[in-house]
Amino acid sequence: MGVVYLWAGRYEEALECFEEATEVRMECLVEDHPDIVVSLAKKGMVQFALDQLEEAQQSFEQALNIRHHVLDSDHLELAKIRNNLGCVMYQRGQLVDALE
């Protein structure tokens, strides 16, 4: 449902769905499961859309930390998360950090 709300521009409802999905997945799955990363990344996208930049940065960083344990550093999924994190950091004025 979160994705439907996201596409419809109903960000608050999307965020609730992604927060719940993240919590449930963290309780039920191993800590480095890819589904947790998906939920965190989607949660971060909604937080970014809501201008909750600090929270979005935390979500993307958490997703990135989990994925680093499972994937090679040049994997496409890691690149997407890094790109999202860079956009958030840019918006927050963290220009030097965003370039890394």
Side-chain angles (χ1 to χ4, degrees), residues 70-83:
V70 182
L71 298 174
D72 293 330
S73 62
D74 62 346
H75 193 279
L76 178 60
E77 189 169 332
L78 284 176
K80 290 177 184 178
I81 296 170
R82 279 192 198 106
N83 179 69

Side-chain angles (χ1 to χ4, degrees), residues 37-91:
V37 175
V38 170
S39 291
L40 286 166
K42 289 179 180 174
K43 179 178 157 184
M45 289 188 306
V46 174
Q47 289 166 324
F48 182 78
L50 289 168
D51 204 34
Q52 297 175 1
L53 301 179
E54 184 175 344
E55 294 86 350
Q57 183 170 344
Q58 291 171 356
S59 293
F60 290 134
E61 287 174 345
Q62 189 175 2
L64 197 59
N65 288 334
I66 293 170
R67 278 321 244 177
H68 268 297
H69 295 290
V70 182
L71 298 174
D72 293 330
S73 62
D74 62 346
H75 193 279
L76 178 60
E77 189 169 332
L78 284 176
K80 290 177 184 178
I81 296 170
R82 279 192 198 106
N83 179 69
N84 292 342
L85 179 57
C87 291
V88 170
M89 295 171 98
Y90 176 81
Q91 287 296 111

